[in-house]
């Protein structure tokens, strides 16, 4: 039986697996196109104060209700800088995650200066223009108008236009891709690590995509296995703060002095943070409907500040259900670091949304 967490085997698997890329290329946009961004958030008082304190925005209107009432507000509203960041953030995955120069933002308009903590926001963008780049043939230039709405009332809260250089698909496919694997994928032969001779990736994020990919591997020396494009570098907040806010007081997450003589030589990440990063990468490439359960979770190596965590997924099983909205998929997820070493593995079963919804 193949040990997928063996370092050499896993490295071979990574070399052969397709990466499910995130973000959009220049060719994906058309003038007049409207994009509803799936992500959105609830504007919280805590995040608002964290933003203001870390950016030295100490205007008492946004901190104290008496100061707010003195200038005509009922209470302290959300700071406009945090509101702007909260509207722009959800747009990144669909618009600019592929990279490219941020050429500018214009016409930032605060439509409601009294936005209160607890407001849920919805974000929408419209492609205003796209054009060729005379200086960078590998890129095009796209301008969007983005608006944040109160999700409950539909009222517009803030809008702006921004312009980015966006990579073209063809140059990325040739210049940015990995070299084609040799021998095992080209010839269909199984390599000496025991990995399947063929890797299959789903064509999309819906249940039918996972089911069809899994069916294509039936009775063949093949596996549905793919890597996720995003990575997350562990910083002090990830390693020390997140455990403490869950009341996890284990010394190995925040006491460098105690950990100096340990095998890692420094504080290490809480395993559930590493796990959550891996699952977050995976969920970004699927239409998760509901989580069902997890199993066989193992932590294979230390994760410390500065390590970058990536995700790799195998599909173990799919099962249709009587539910018209979702089908069941069982995954095996791996987290691995910048040295391609597995640091976490575990199984997960979830309901994945069907395409007809």
């Amino acid at each position: 039986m193949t040990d997928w967490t063996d370092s050499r085997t896993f490295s071979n698997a990574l070399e052969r697996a397709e990466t499910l890329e995130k973000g959009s290329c220049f060719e994906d946009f058309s003038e007049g196109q409207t994009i509803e961004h799936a992500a959105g958030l609830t504007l919280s008082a805590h995040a608002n104060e964290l933003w203001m304190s870390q950016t030295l925005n100490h205007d008492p209107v946004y901190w104290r209700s008496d100061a707010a009432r003195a200038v005509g507000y009922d209470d302290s509203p959300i700071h406009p800088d945090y509101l702007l960041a909260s509207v722009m953030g959800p747009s990144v995955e669909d618009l600019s995650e592929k990279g490219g120069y941020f050429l500018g933002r214009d016409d930032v308009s605060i439509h409601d200066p009294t936005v209160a903590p607890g407001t849920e926001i919805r974000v929408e963008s419209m492609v205003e223009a796209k054009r060729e780049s005379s200086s960078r043939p590998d890129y095009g230039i796209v301008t969007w108008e983005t608006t944040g709405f109160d999700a409950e009332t539909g009222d517009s809260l803030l809008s702006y236009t921004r312009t980015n250089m966006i990579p073209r698909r063809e140059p990325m496919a040739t210049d940015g891709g990995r070299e084609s694997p040799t021998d095992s994928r080209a010839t269909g032969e199984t390599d000496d690590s025991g990995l399947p001779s063929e890797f299959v990736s789903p064509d999309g994020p819906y249940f039918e995509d996972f089911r069809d990919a899994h069916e294509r591997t039936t009775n063949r020396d093949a596996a549905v296995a793919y890597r996720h494009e995003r990575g997350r570098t562990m910083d002090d907040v990830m390693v020390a703060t997140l455990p403490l806010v869950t009341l996890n007081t284990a010394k190995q997450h925040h006491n460098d002095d105690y950990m100096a003589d340990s095998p890692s030589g420094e504080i290490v990440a809480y395993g559930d943070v590493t796990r959550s990063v891996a699952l977050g990468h995976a969920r970004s490439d699927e239409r998760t409907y509901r989580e069902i359960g997890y199993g066989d979770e193992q932590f294979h190596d230390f994760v410390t500040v500065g390590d970058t965590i990536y995700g790799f997924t195998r599909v173990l099983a799919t099962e249709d259900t009587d539910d018209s909205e979702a089908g069941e998929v069982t995954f095996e997820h791996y987290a691995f670091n910048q040295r391609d070493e597995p640091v976490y593995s575990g199984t997960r079963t979830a309901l994945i949304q069907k395409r007809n919804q």
Side-chain angles (χ1 to χ4, degrees):
M1 182 177 180
T2 302
D3 180 4
W4 285 72
T5 62
D6 173 76
S7 294
R8 180 177 176 182
T9 300
F10 193 75
S11 180
N12 288 335
L14 291 177
E15 285 296 320
R16 295 171 49 199
E18 180 182 354
T19 297
L20 303 186
E21 296 186 1
K22 306 302 294 182
S24 302
C25 295
F26 177 73
E27 294 88 342
D28 297 324
F29 298 107
S30 58
E31 291 189 10
Q33 175 186 7
T34 297
I35 302 165
E36 292 273 357
H37 304 296
L41 51 81
T42 299
L43 302 171
S44 72
H46 170 73
N48 188 49
E49 291 179 359
L50 182 65
W51 181 278
M52 292 189 296
S53 64
Q54 295 301 304
T55 60
L56 300 181
N57 281 285
H58 297 163
D59 185 338
V61 167
Y62 297 98
W63 292 90
R64 301 196 334 257
S65 57
D66 63 327
R69 288 193 294 270
V71 295
Y73 295 126
D74 292 335
D75 208 340
S76 293
I78 291 293
H79 192 280
D81 287 0
Y82 170 55
L83 177 61
L84 176 58
S86 299
V87 170
M88 184 164 175
S91 74
V92 169
E93 177 173 354
D94 295 321
L95 305 187
S96 56
E97 184 164 342
K98 282 290 187 192
Y101 295 109
F102 180 18
L103 299 180
R105 184 168 55 199
D106 199 7
D107 298 325
V108 178
S109 300
I110 307 292
H111 303 296
D112 184 354
T114 66
V115 178
T119 301
E120 297 180 355
I121 64 171
R122 177 180 64 83
V123 181
E124 177 182 298
S125 294
M126 189 270 288
V127 181
E128 281 198 340
K130 59 178 293 190
R131 60 185 174 86
E132 310 296 325
S133 170
S134 58
S135 61
R136 298 290 300 272
D138 292 350
Y139 289 78
I141 297 173
V142 184
T143 298
W144 307 276
E145 181 182 37
T146 297
T147 305
F149 299 91
D150 184 318
E152 181 178 359
T153 66
D155 294 337
S156 174
L157 305 179
L158 178 145
S159 63
Y160 61 84
T161 61
R162 74 170 166 124
T163 301
N164 275 64
M165 277 190 165
I166 300 296
R168 292 180 172 275
R169 179 171 289 104
E170 289 305 316
M172 290 186 68
T174 55
D175 298 339
R178 300 191 306 275
E179 293 182 2
S180 299
T182 58
D183 295 333
S184 60
R185 179 179 283 183
T187 65
E189 297 176 356
T190 302
D191 61 29
D192 59 7
S193 63
L195 292 171
S197 61
E198 181 183 3
F199 281 10
V200 175
S201 58
D203 294 330
Y206 294 95
F207 169 73
E208 293 89 343
D209 299 308
F210 293 104
R211 179 197 61 198
D212 294 347
H214 190 257
E215 288 178 352
R216 294 202 300 272
T217 67
T218 302
N219 299 322
R220 295 166 56 189
D221 184 21
V224 183
Y226 48 94
R227 44 193 303 172
H228 306 284
E229 185 177 28
R230 286 178 179 153
R232 174 66 165 100
T233 299
M234 293 293 201
D235 54 25
D236 288 330
V237 171
M238 296 285 285
V239 173
T241 303
L242 293 187
L244 291 172
V245 299
T246 66
L247 305 185
N248 179 341
T249 57
K251 293 187 287 293
Q252 59 261 39
H253 304 313
H254 60 266
N255 188 329
D256 256 330
D257 181 49
Y258 173 81
M259 292 296 290
D261 295 327
S262 70
S264 67
E266 58 184 311
I267 60 174
V268 298
Y270 179 22
D272 272 352
V273 173
T274 301
R275 167 192 184 273
S276 184
V277 170
L279 299 188
H281 291 332
R283 291 173 182 132
S284 74
D285 286 319
E286 64 188 52
R287 295 283 186 172
T288 313
Y289 183 74
R290 185 175 296 116
E291 298 289 324
I292 295 178
Y294 315 90
D296 195 23
E297 295 193 319
Q298 301 179 55
F299 297 89
H300 304 285
D301 208 344
F302 300 119
V303 174
T304 61
V305 172
D307 281 344
T308 301
I309 300 303
Y310 297 94
F312 180 91
T313 291
R314 286 202 297 152
V315 175
L316 303 183
T318 64
E319 182 177 348
D320 207 346
T321 66
D322 295 333
D323 191 333
S324 63
E325 296 185 348
E328 185 175 297
V329 181
T330 299
F331 303 94
E332 185 166 45
H333 299 297
Y334 302 83
F336 65 98
N337 61 23
Q338 68 274 19
R339 296 177 294 277
D340 291 348
E341 300 164 339
V343 295
Y344 161 84
S345 63
T347 61
R348 165 178 165 257
T349 301
L351 292 178
I352 304 300
Q353 184 178 327
K354 291 182 177 177
R355 190 178 298 278
N356 59 5
Q357 296 303 307

